[in-house]
Amino acid sequence: MCVNDLVVAGGEPLFFLDYFATGALDVEEAAAVVRGIAEGCRLAGCGLVGGETAEMPSMYAPGDYDLAGFSVGAVHRDRVLPKNVAAGDVLLGLPSSGIHSNGFSLVRKLVVERAGLDYSSECPWDASASTIGDSLLTPTKIYVKACLPLLAGEMLTGLAHITGGGLLENLPRSLPSHVKAIVTGHPALPAVFAWMKSTSGLDDREMLRTFNCGIGMVLIVKKDRAEEARVALRAAGEDVIYDMGVLVEREADEEQVEMKSNLS
């Protein structure tokens, strides 16, 4: 997810470093973790240049480990995003691959406490997944290679990575105070989120403040370059692109995201 955040600022990821801490090092387990990190770096086009492994027997229970990391990127000062975001710009959405890495406090409560299941249970929303745990651990989608050509072509005025706080809290971070987003084309909830909504009883607003709800990245594009952006995204392998809405002028007391479509 670090590299997605770099792209939102207009940056290109350069390298990543990891931190792995455990009570007693299991070499096979640690190697599997590093392979996963290396695959993420490959997808982002950045280098895994180092990291730290720490053994602290008194700090971790057997089998537990702590994992963290950070990424460094670069952008020319005059290309930092958001830039020149204005009324009339259009919103394009790219699908998420699943829960990503946000909302898991509620997910755990719903799966274990509300539904009485565990992570080894049969997955109720995805027959192709062997267990609930396997489905929930679907890797976060990395959007770097889809977005970099648009950044290079100066097609984007802004980006929003839909993480904690969902669409309602992340999109406004890329908007100036005088504009708001009118969302008319949010897709129907993917099965995992439909299950979470049904099990939790949350309304649309709370879902949109908690989960990505199927949209992992929102691109803000000038209207006259929107089709050019769609072509570039398809060339980068993005087969599904949602026309989510448009930016309009905002009154001072209005919320910055107005939903005109339901999560149905």
Side-chain angles (χ1 to χ4, degrees):
M1 292 182 68
C2 302
V3 292
N4 289 338
D5 290 336
L6 285 172
V7 167
V8 166
E12 179 178 358
L14 300 177
F15 58 84
F16 184 90
L17 286 90
D18 69 271
Y19 170 78
F20 183 94
T22 186
L25 184 64
D26 181 322
V27 175
E28 290 185 5
E29 181 178 65
V33 169
V34 173
R35 282 196 297 272
I37 295 171
E39 174 62 11
C41 290
R42 186 190 67 81
L43 292 171
C46 70
L48 177 58
V49 298
E52 180 179 352
T53 300
E55 284 188 285
M56 296 180 283
S58 62
M59 293 293 293
Y60 297 92
D64 288 355
Y65 62 84
D66 191 17
L67 183 64
F70 70 93
S71 184
V72 173
V75 57
H76 287 286
R77 190 180 299 276
D78 61 356
R79 289 195 178 187
V80 174
L81 297 182
K83 181 181 180 182
N84 300 324
V85 176
D89 291 359
V90 300
L91 305 174
L92 304 178
L94 300 180
S96 65
S97 56
I99 298 287
H100 285 185
S101 300
N102 298 101
F104 272 93
S105 295
L106 179 57
V107 169
R108 286 192 293 270
K109 187 176 184 67
L110 295 177
V111 169
V112 177
E113 298 181 23
R114 184 67 63 86
L117 302 169
D118 61 43
Y119 301 122
S120 61
S121 299
E122 182 179 344
C123 186
W125 59 79
D126 184 0
S128 67
S130 57
T131 65
I132 287 176
D134 285 340
S135 177
L136 293 177
L137 290 176
T138 300
T140 297
K141 184 173 178 179
I142 293 176
Y143 299 93
V144 173
K145 290 186 178 179
C147 293
L148 284 182
L150 282 73
L151 292 173
E154 298 187 68
M155 300 180 208
L156 303 176
T157 58
L159 286 157
H161 184 203
I162 310 306
T163 55
L167 181 71
L168 298 185
E169 294 185 11
N170 284 282
L171 183 53
R173 295 173 183 170
S174 293
L175 304 180
S177 60
H178 64 277
V179 302
K180 70 175 185 178
I182 303 292
V183 178
T184 56
H186 197 289
L189 288 175
V192 60
F193 296 111
W195 187 90
M196 298 297 168
K197 186 175 193 295
S198 173
T199 305
S200 66
L202 293 179
D203 60 20
D204 283 7
R205 179 177 177 79
E206 287 303 309
M207 286 292 295
L208 288 163
R209 289 182 64 248
T210 307
F211 298 113
N212 67 62
C213 293
I215 295 294
M217 185 72 78
V218 176
L219 294 75
I220 308 172
V221 190
K222 294 298 181 187
K223 185 176 180 179
D224 61 359
R225 303 201 70 181
E227 184 54 33
E228 182 183 1
R230 293 187 192 96
V231 170
L233 288 169
R234 293 189 188 101
E238 294 293 334
D239 297 325
V240 178
I241 305 164
Y242 296 106
D243 294 316
M244 293 195 64
V246 66
L247 301 185
V248 300
E249 294 291 342
R250 171 182 178 252
E251 298 295 331
D253 59 344
E254 291 182 310
E255 295 188 359
Q256 280 199 285
V257 180
E258 181 178 346
M259 296 297 298
K260 295 284 191 179
S261 55
N262 298 322
L263 300 181
S264 56

